[in-house]
């Protein structure tokens, strides 16, 4: 167990239990600004025993067997302050260095987790809104996998429904030719079709009939054109994902169309469970607790009057598929905040069906908006929401511009790659280091700065450690296993931070908040800088100390690279 707080809590528990005269007492060990940690459990225990809390705390301290681990002191109304010994921390650091997960504990109960993220729509562009769900989802996928869950990525693309009537009809008008997808305007076809749809009743009617034909899946030509539209968009999505460096692949696409054939049976199940009702000719589910603006019950429409299924039907079917076919117990949805009510209603309906019930559960990892300087959703020059591919390309270009005047000793190819790493890293980190629930203002200068809580700052901290090793002419791996000497406060502080990686990952996953991991990495880089300023490494007073400090540096680089990796960000060795 890497986290000293966890270790010390388990070592303290017997003393608490002795004084309590019962088992199962939590010492409540927390970080502290007075000492390395504090145990707060004596206060509730004293209350339980009807005794003076300081007395109880004093008895616990006397009963505790923490020799060589920590010094204990009763403070305030009955807190127990803990100061770890250097030897204990050094031993823990060595354990972390020897662990290929750097002390991050595997999940106590590994689960099958489906992460639903990105989810763009066919024949439309990926825009800045998809940046958030794509990056947040991708980081969570990496972290869930790192702690040992079986993770299934699902890209729930919009590839079915009414828009395909007009799209297919428009393509037919064009003689069946889709043409090359225009990467500067991937939604061009859609816009043309939409314009025709709005202008012509005749086209509108044809589009309607085409949807019905599509839904019947009976017409080969319709299916063929639909498939080509989907394939073309999948190529485009792949290109964006590849350039952005996220894990989503074509195989991860499980679009709305995938669930269509299962929907009639789902309607029957809802009916058999007595959950189906009719409202205005549509088939609906009344989900308790949801009302419209007038305060009237809000129906969840699962089949339109015309017989067509809709977004809610597809998401209900999706829950059933994930729980019953994939045997997932945790369903994670990375989708913007506006879809919260939709998800809550869908989940409640599947709960009423007896499907989304413990151990199966779902979580909405929602997110706010990316804003421009005008505090409105970030726009492109044309005034539409900024296109994701444009942002990705601009990030790469800006990263390369930074590299151009920094690294003369690299080859042109190496410099291109490094520029990409810096640009994409900055874009991803700006996103992930912000509390996902909040809106944030997109700012190239800030995200590309080498100062502050940014990717370039962290990447540079990592590269700088590697440059120390290049100068020392030893490899980081050769010293990594050494138990460090922790004599200086800055060494102790760095050791403590290195040991907190486990807790940072755990907290990030508990709250589904990648920004917590970012904050941790930023603090780690700062603690390393403080250590490096205070403690000469290459010119350390003794060989022993030099090796010890190199070991701390090597582990810092490891943790930085690992943590950035969990965010989907590369950590170059030179910058
Ligand atoms: N395609 C949808 C949109 O662009 C997002 C789908 C999210 N996932 C889901 N299971 N509903 O709004």
């Amino acid at each position: 167990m890497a986290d000293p707080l966890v270790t010390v809590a388990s070592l303290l528990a017997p003393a608490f239990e002795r004084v309590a005269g019962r088992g199962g007492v939590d010492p409540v060990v927390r970080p502290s600004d007075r000492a390395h940690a504090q145990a707060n459990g004596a206060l509730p225990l004293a209350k339980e025993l009807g005794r003076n809390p300081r007395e109880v705390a004093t008895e616990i301290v006397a009963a505790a067997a923490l020799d060589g681990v920590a010094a204990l002191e009763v403070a305030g109304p009955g807190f127990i302050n803990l100061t770890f010994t250097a030897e204990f921390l050094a031993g823990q650091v060595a354990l972390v260095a020897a662990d290929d997960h750097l002390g991050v504990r595997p999940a106590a109960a590994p689960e099958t987790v489906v992460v639903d993220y990105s989810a763009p729509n066919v024949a439309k562009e990926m825009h800045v809104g998809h940046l958030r769900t794509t990056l947040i989802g991708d980081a969570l996928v990496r972290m869930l996998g790192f702690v040992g869950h079986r993770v299934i990525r699902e890209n729930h693309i919009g590839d079915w429904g009414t828009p395909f009537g007009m799209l297919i009809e428009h393509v037919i008008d064009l003689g069946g030719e889709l043409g090359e997808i225009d990467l500067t305007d991937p939604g061009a076809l859609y816009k043309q079709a939409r314009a025709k749809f709005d202008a012509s009743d005749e086209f509108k009617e044809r589009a309607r009939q085409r949807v019905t034909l599509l839904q019947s899946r009976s017409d080969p030509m319709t299916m063929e054109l639909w498939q080509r539209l989907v394939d073309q968009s999948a190529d485009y999505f792949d290109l964006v994902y590849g350039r952005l460096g996220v894990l989503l692949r074509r195989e991860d696409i499980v679009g709305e169309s995938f669930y269509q054939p299962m929907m009639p049976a789902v309607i029957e199940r809802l009916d058999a469970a007595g959950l189906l009702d009719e409202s205005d000719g549509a088939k609906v589910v009344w989900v308790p607790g949801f009302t419209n603006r007038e305060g009237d019950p809000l129906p969840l429409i699962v089949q339109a009057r015309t017989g067509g299924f809709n977004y809610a039907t597809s998401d209900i079917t999706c829950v059933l598929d994930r729980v019953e076919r994939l045997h997932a117990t945790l369903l994670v949805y990375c989708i913007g905040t506006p879809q919260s009510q939709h998800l809550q209603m869908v989940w409640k309906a599947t709960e009423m069906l007896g499907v989304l019930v413990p151990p199966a559960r779902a979580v909405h990892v929602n997110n706010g908006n990316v804003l421009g300087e005008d505090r409105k959703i970030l726009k492109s020059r044309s005034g539409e929401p900024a296109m994701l591919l444009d942002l990705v390309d601009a990030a790469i270009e800006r990263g390369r511009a930074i590299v151009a005047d920094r690294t003369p000793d690299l080859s042109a190819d190496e410099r291109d790659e490094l520029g990409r790493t810096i640009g994409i890293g900055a874009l991803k980190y700006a996103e992930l280091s912000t509390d996902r629930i909040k809106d944030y203002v997109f700012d190239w200068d800030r995200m590309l700065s080498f100062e502050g809580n940014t990717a370039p700052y962290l990447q540079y901290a990592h590269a700088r450690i590697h440059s120390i090793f290049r100068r020392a002419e030893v490899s980081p791996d050769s010293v990594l296993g050494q138990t460090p000497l922790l004599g200086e406060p800055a060494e102790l502080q760095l050791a403590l931070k290195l040991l907190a990686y486990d807790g940072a990952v755990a907290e990030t996953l508990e709250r589904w908040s990648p920004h917590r991991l970012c904050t941790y990495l930023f603090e780690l880089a700062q603690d390393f800088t403080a250590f490096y300023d205070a403690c000469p490494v290459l010119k350390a007073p003794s060989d022993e100390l030099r090796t010890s400090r190199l070991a701390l540096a090597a582990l810092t680089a490891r943790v930085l690279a690992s943590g950035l990796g969990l965010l989907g960000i590369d950590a170059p060795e030179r910058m």
Side-chain angles (χ1 to χ4, degrees):
M1 243 170 263
D3 190 339
L5 266 49
V6 177
T7 307
V8 96
S10 67
L11 292 173
L12 264 180
F16 272 80
E17 288 166 3
R18 173 116 45 96
V19 174
R22 66 170 178 97
V25 187
D26 182 0
V28 197
V29 177
R30 297 283 178 266
S32 159
D33 17 287
R34 300 279 168 86
H36 291 147
Q38 62 185 54
N40 302 338
L43 297 162
L45 180 58
K47 202 164 185 190
E48 176 187 318
L49 301 174
R51 294 184 49 194
N52 172 303
R54 278 193 69 98
E55 246 173 66
V56 171
T58 307
E59 255 176 59
I60 291 168
V61 167
L66 281 174
D67 285 354
V69 173
L72 307 185
E73 189 199 11
V74 178
F79 302 120
I80 300 171
N81 283 351
L82 295 141
T83 306
F84 299 119
T85 67
E87 295 68 35
F88 167 67
L89 290 179
Q92 297 294 103
V93 167
L95 287 178
V96 166
D99 175 13
D100 57 4
H101 278 61
L102 300 168
V104 174
R105 279 165 297 165
E111 295 184 71
T112 297
V113 186
V114 170
V115 183
D116 179 324
Y117 69 114
S118 194
N121 296 315
V122 166
K124 289 207 187 152
E125 68 286 337
M126 290 188 78
H127 55 73
V128 59
H130 297 111
L131 178 69
R132 299 206 77 171
T133 99
T134 304
L135 295 183
I136 294 166
D138 209 56
L140 294 177
V141 163
R142 291 171 199 261
M143 285 181 232
L144 289 164
F146 190 64
V147 302
H149 292 294
R150 173 170 172 256
V151 186
I152 301 173
R153 302 183 294 263
E154 283 200 351
N155 194 358
H156 190 88
I157 63 171
D159 62 357
W160 200 256
T162 42
F164 287 89
M166 65 179 199
L167 277 164
I168 293 169
E169 209 54 38
H170 177 52
V171 174
I172 291 171
D173 288 354
L174 295 175
E177 285 307 313
L178 271 64
E180 284 276 301
I181 195 161
D182 176 1
L183 292 177
T184 65
D185 189 8
L189 208 62
Y190 183 92
K191 284 176 212 150
Q192 293 156 14
R194 178 85 231 179
K196 263 199 219 170
F197 187 89
D198 290 339
S200 154
D201 285 342
E202 179 266 339
F203 184 77
K204 219 176 261 175
E205 188 45 39
R206 279 201 279 142
R208 262 192 215 117
Q209 283 169 13
R210 189 61 62 182
V211 181
T212 313
L213 207 51
L214 179 69
Q215 271 161 351
S216 73
R217 291 189 189 245
S218 61
D219 180 49
M221 194 231 351
T222 302
M223 293 315 289
E224 145 91 26
L225 290 178
W226 169 78
Q227 189 65 55
R228 273 161 58 194
L229 282 163
V230 174
D231 287 347
Q232 192 188 53
S233 283
D235 286 343
Y236 160 70
F237 301 152
D238 260 355
L239 176 100
V240 177
Y241 296 140
R243 217 172 273 184
L244 186 55
V246 297
L247 300 168
L248 280 173
R249 293 291 168 269
R250 198 175 273 258
E251 307 83 80
D252 303 320
I253 290 180
V254 198
E256 292 174 22
S257 67
F258 173 82
Y259 302 99
Q260 290 295 318
M262 312 171 200
M263 289 181 191
V266 170
I267 301 290
E268 274 170 33
R269 271 177 80 170
L270 289 166
D271 199 13
L275 297 174
L276 214 58
D277 196 9
E278 287 222 352
S279 173
D280 281 337
K283 293 207 166 77
V284 305
V285 177
W286 299 106
V287 185
F290 293 89
T291 48
N292 63 16
R293 248 178 260 145
E294 285 74 45
D296 299 326
L298 193 65
L300 184 64
I301 302 174
V302 292
Q303 192 164 18
R305 206 170 2 176
T306 53
F309 305 115
N310 59 12
Y311 191 51
T313 334
S314 131
D315 267 319
I316 290 176
T317 312
C318 183
V319 171
L320 307 195
D321 185 63
R322 288 170 185 178
V323 174
E324 295 177 342
R325 180 178 64 93
L326 299 173
H327 303 292
T329 45
L330 181 53
L331 315 184
V332 179
Y333 292 76
C334 300
I335 315 180
T337 303
Q339 293 198 34
S340 173
Q341 177 174 285
H342 161 77
L343 285 177
Q344 299 300 333
M345 291 181 80
V346 162
W347 295 344
K348 190 77 200 163
T350 56
E351 185 193 317
M352 293 193 294
L353 260 185
V355 175
L356 192 62
V357 291
R361 65 222 185 273
V363 37
H364 183 192
V365 179
N366 62 329
N367 60 263
N369 294 319
V370 184
L371 308 178
E373 273 165 16
D374 59 359
R375 305 234 147 221
K376 299 211 177 90
I377 291 188
L378 187 69
K379 303 228 173 38
S380 65
R381 241 171 266 140
S382 68
E384 292 180 60
M387 289 231 310
L388 183 49
L389 194 57
D390 290 348
L391 295 177
V392 171
D393 287 341
I396 295 173
E397 197 179 304
R398 283 171 191 260
R400 287 187 177 154
I402 287 176
V403 170
D405 42 54
R406 278 185 79 96
T407 47
D409 51 331
L410 294 184
S411 74
D413 279 354
E414 284 170 330
R415 228 179 300 166
D416 271 1
E417 188 44 36
L418 181 59
R420 180 180 177 278
T421 299
I422 293 175
I424 295 292
L427 183 68
K428 288 187 173 179
Y429 195 84
E431 166 58 49
L432 297 170
S433 58
T434 321
D435 185 346
R436 62 177 164 77
I437 300 175
K438 296 191 182 138
D439 295 347
Y440 73 97
V441 176
F442 194 86
D443 180 346
W444 285 117
D445 291 337
R446 207 187 55 197
M447 70 178 81
L448 285 157
S449 167
F450 278 65
E451 271 151 51
N453 188 10
T454 67
Y457 174 77
L458 294 177
Q459 289 171 323
Y460 185 68
H462 175 264
R464 193 170 61 156
I465 296 174
H466 278 273
S467 87
I468 298 170
F469 281 93
R470 284 193 292 275
R471 273 183 284 143
E473 295 182 345
V474 294
S475 81
D477 287 351
S478 68
V479 295
L480 196 59
Q482 303 288 325
T483 304
L485 304 161
L486 303 174
E488 299 293 328
E491 290 171 319
L492 271 171
Q493 177 54 37
L494 179 58
L496 272 171
K497 193 64 79 182
L498 287 165
L499 297 177
Y501 185 41
D502 174 29
V505 172
E507 198 190 22
T508 300
L509 281 176
E510 234 158 72
R511 299 177 186 240
W512 307 104
S513 292
H515 80 276
R516 290 179 182 266
L517 180 59
C518 295
T519 305
Y520 166 77
L521 294 172
F522 181 48
E523 288 172 2
L524 174 62
Q526 286 177 311
D527 285 346
F528 181 80
T529 301
F531 154 79
Y532 196 58
D533 288 345
C535 306
V537 176
L538 297 179
K539 295 206 169 85
S542 70
D543 278 354
E544 226 187 337
L545 260 182
R546 185 173 189 266
T547 308
S548 158
R549 289 176 181 172
L550 282 170
L552 285 174
L555 183 55
T556 305
R558 269 282 174 92
V559 174
L560 283 172
S562 168
L564 286 170
L566 292 181
L567 300 169
I569 298 173
D570 290 333
E573 292 187 3
R574 290 170 197 269
M575 240 170 112

